[in-house]
Amino acid sequence: MASKPFYITTTLPYVNAEPHIGFAMEIIRADIIARFKKSTGHEVFFNTGTDEHGIKVYRKAQEQHVDTQEYVDGLSAKYRELAKALGVATNEKGITFNFIRTTDPHHKKAAQEFWKLVDKNGYIYKKEYAIKYCVGCELEKTESELVNNRCPLHPLQELEIIQEENYFFKASAFKVKLLELYSARLEFVIPEFRFNEIKSLLQHEGLKDFSISRLVTKMPWGVPVPNDSTQVMYVWFDALVDYISAIGWPDDTETFKKWWMETGGVVQYCGKDNLRQQSAMWQAMLMAAGLPPSNTIIINGFITGEGGLKMSKSLGNTVNPLDIVNEYGADALRYYVARELSQFEDSPFTPEKFKEAYNSGLANGIGNLTSRIMKMAEANIGKVVVKAPDLEAFQAVLSRYDIKGAADLIWSRISELDSLIQKEEPFKRVKDEKTKAHALDIIERLVKELAEIAHLLEPILPNTAKAIQACIAENKPPATPLFMRK
């Protein structure tokens, strides 16, 4: 029996600056899960893209004195290029890779149809209001969320006061339904402590109605509100619809049914600053439209820089992932994301930490092990027939979206093979007729176990896995080290 389809998406990063390592982390993790699901027999739809509306995007274009569409076109292309540079499965059989832009005509039409449906169902109204607004988050901020009257995520930006008549979404109507959803889906949000956080928020504060439009005279860069030329959609209301517009909604009902209804909804990766938007606001919007909820929301921690501050475009402390890929290779960054970063908590990144991890885990780890084993194999035995490994433990870990746990399992096996070589010294014993037969058995065992490791590496380090498998097939060590020591 064929496995049911699987749909996974990243959030869509704003195109108000070039890609940074935080987004690289998210798309790498989603890619690892997409490749893993493909390996277990699922047909996969993998969605990512760019969020191109909103006031901070509009202002960035103005600052640079360029047309806003021209501005977003240029940056969106860089995000698309990054996906390829990171080794993401953009052209992999069994995985449909989709890159959506919120300025795409189909998406804008879908956002408008979504608005009409929610309005028809009675969950949109208009009122005059005044709020404190963080442009960096593109979100309203309450007093309890502020530190020294500033957003803690964007402390260098002053809050703005928005006072105008806009449309609102009646999110408050969905508190009970959301709590019922949370009770029915025990792993709706991963990790558990983030799930407890959103449940506590709803139980104690509820979900407040939020503005879903802006006056064109103040912010013209957005999807036009249906039947009201004076307003454009608030960026969050527009962008969240991409998860369904990407799979054909509302026109292509067959495609939407396949990837949303048959899969039980999308698996979404996002940062911890997106917890409320993805697990509550978006789910309430789906309920208002009469659509089923998402499947699972996976919440990443932040990558922090020097001093423990979150890496962000507004703080100017970001690391360009392409610089890392150009110096170390895509699989090196994938390794760091998979094994060295905490799965759900904040994790520091510095060039020094990265280099140390690269040398210990890759150059002196899997790279050195592959060279040692295949040199012994080439000199002493013929090609080894390898069998498909037992993946039960590995699959069980990745099925829980525990990428770090899966990587640790692999590197535990790498360490075991290093220890076996040190203990048995087959490279010495093979020269002695008394111990040669035993040494040959050890070398064959090493090759077989290296093949198993390569198989496990396929979703995490795809290029490295292929390189090791080629070495085993040819019974030769790599012509150059898999990872040069830095």
Side-chain angles (χ1 to χ4, degrees):
M1 182 178 176
S3 299
K4 68 180 182 180
F6 178 80
Y7 176 21
I8 189 166
T9 187
T10 69
T11 50
L12 303 190
Y14 284 121
V15 288
N16 63 317
E18 294 195 3
H20 66 78
I21 196 168
F23 176 66
M25 173 184 71
E26 188 170 308
I27 197 171
I28 286 170
R29 285 178 171 170
D31 182 66
I32 289 171
I33 297 301
R35 289 175 179 274
F36 162 65
K37 288 293 184 179
K38 176 208 164 187
S39 73
T40 56
H42 297 266
E43 184 184 358
V44 177
F45 190 95
F46 179 8
N47 183 57
T48 188
T50 44
D51 184 354
E52 301 179 18
H53 293 122
I55 194 166
K56 64 182 178 182
V57 171
Y58 176 68
R59 287 179 179 174
K60 279 290 183 180
Q62 286 188 312
E63 286 174 16
Q64 297 184 21
H65 305 288
V66 296
D67 175 74
T68 312
Q69 186 65 56
E70 180 184 344
Y71 171 79
V72 298
D73 286 348
L75 277 173
S76 181
K78 292 185 178 182
Y79 279 88
R80 187 188 288 269
E81 290 163 8
L82 175 65
K84 292 181 180 179
L86 295 174
V88 169
T90 57
N91 187 27
E92 190 89 7
K93 187 177 180 182
I95 300 176
T96 300
F97 178 80
N98 184 68
F99 190 95
I100 191 170
R101 301 178 57 187
T102 57
T103 54
D104 290 339
H106 170 74
H107 171 76
K108 290 194 284 188
K109 177 185 175 185
Q112 290 177 319
E113 291 302 313
F114 190 88
W115 177 292
K116 291 177 186 176
L117 185 56
V118 173
D119 188 27
K120 178 183 175 183
N121 291 340
Y123 295 107
I124 293 178
Y125 64 95
K126 202 173 187 182
K127 77 168 186 178
E128 205 165 304
Y129 75 112
I131 59 166
K132 290 183 176 180
Y133 190 76
C134 173
V135 173
C137 294
E138 294 275 15
L139 287 170
E140 173 187 352
K141 295 293 174 178
T142 63
E143 292 298 329
S144 63
E145 295 176 289
L146 303 180
V147 176
N148 296 323
N149 203 37
R150 297 203 177 202
C151 169
L153 298 180
H154 301 92
L156 301 183
Q157 297 184 14
E158 289 191 18
L159 294 172
E160 297 188 10
I161 303 298
I162 292 181
Q163 187 167 357
E164 59 190 52
E165 186 179 38
N166 293 151
Y167 290 95
F168 274 70
F169 172 58
K170 200 179 293 184
S172 58
F174 296 95
K175 174 181 176 178
V176 173
K177 286 187 176 181
L178 285 168
L179 290 174
E180 288 174 350
L181 170 66
Y182 299 161
S183 296
R185 301 268 196 95
L186 299 181
E187 293 186 337
F188 181 67
V189 175
I190 297 173
E192 185 180 13
F193 71 89
R194 294 291 179 207
F195 200 10
N196 290 336
E197 188 178 323
I198 192 64
K199 285 189 282 190
S200 177
L201 176 69
L202 256 68
Q203 287 165 347
H204 294 99
E205 298 181 23
L207 189 61
K208 296 179 180 179
D209 296 353
F210 58 91
S211 170
I212 56 173
S213 72
R214 297 289 182 265
L215 283 172
V216 169
T217 53
K218 294 183 179 179
M219 211 297 291
W221 186 245
V223 178
V225 167
N227 304 315
D228 189 342
S229 60
T230 69
Q231 305 262 341
V232 295
M233 290 187 197
Y234 167 52
V235 63
W236 276 101
F237 196 87
D238 142 37
L240 289 168
V241 177
D242 94 272
Y243 301 138
I244 56 175
S245 68
I247 51 172
W249 191 91
D251 303 319
D252 188 346
T253 54
E254 285 302 309
T255 300
F256 177 71
K257 179 181 176 183
K258 174 180 178 178
W259 294 113
W260 194 273
M261 311 302 282
E262 293 178 17
T263 62
V266 66
V267 172
Q268 302 173 213
Y269 265 97
C270 66
K272 67 181 186 180
D273 54 342
N274 263 233
L275 174 64
R276 177 163 55 99
Q277 296 92 302
Q278 304 292 345
S279 63
M281 290 166 58
W282 171 230
Q283 305 313 313
M285 288 165 60
L286 286 167
M287 291 172 180
L291 297 173
S294 301
N295 186 311
T296 307
I297 317 291
I298 306 168
I299 310 293
N300 292 318
F302 292 150
I303 296 181
T304 58
E306 297 288 351
L309 291 174
K310 175 200 173 187
M311 282 191 179
S312 73
K313 301 164 191 172
S314 60
L315 292 176
N317 64 346
T318 59
V319 172
N320 188 334
L322 287 176
D323 292 342
I324 300 170
V325 170
N326 290 336
E327 182 174 358
Y328 291 92
D331 274 12
L333 182 52
R334 291 175 71 99
Y335 166 78
Y336 194 85
V337 166
R339 186 156 185 249
E340 300 297 327
L341 297 180
S342 170
Q343 187 71 37
F344 305 118
E345 300 282 5
D346 293 355
S347 300
F349 180 98
T350 64
E352 295 75 22
K353 284 182 180 291
F354 184 88
K355 182 177 179 179
E356 180 183 349
Y358 169 89
N359 284 326
S360 62
L362 297 176
N364 298 337
I366 185 61
N368 184 53
L369 179 69
T370 300
S371 293
R372 294 180 74 188
I373 291 175
M374 295 315 302
K375 283 178 183 177
M376 288 188 283
E378 181 186 37
N380 298 288
I381 62 175
K383 292 182 181 180
V384 173
V385 177
V386 297
K387 298 180 181 179
D390 180 3
L391 301 176
E392 186 175 350
F394 182 75
Q395 290 178 349
V397 174
L398 270 186
S399 292
R400 301 192 299 270
Y401 305 102
D402 185 1
I403 293 170
K404 177 171 170 46
D408 285 343
L409 279 177
I410 296 172
W411 262 263
S412 175
R413 293 193 63 175
I414 291 170
S415 179
E416 288 170 4
L417 291 194
D418 276 329
S419 297
L420 179 63
I421 293 171
Q422 288 182 325
K423 177 184 176 183
E424 297 290 344
E425 296 185 319
F427 51 90
K428 289 183 180 178
R429 295 190 181 195
V430 76
K431 299 173 184 177
D432 186 334
E433 287 300 321
K434 294 179 181 180
T435 56
K436 183 175 181 178
H438 177 67
L440 292 175
D441 287 343
I442 294 295
I443 294 171
E444 183 173 339
R445 175 186 165 187
L446 287 168
V447 174
K448 288 180 177 179
E449 295 206 23
L450 181 64
E452 292 185 5
I453 287 171
H455 192 80
L456 297 178
L457 281 172
E458 287 178 357
I460 300 175
L461 307 185
N463 293 329
T464 303
K466 289 177 184 176
I468 295 172
Q469 288 161 348
C471 289
I472 294 171
E474 297 169 8
N475 199 37
K476 292 181 178 180
T480 57
L482 296 179
F483 298 97
M484 296 291 295
R485 184 172 175 81
K486 300 289 186 177

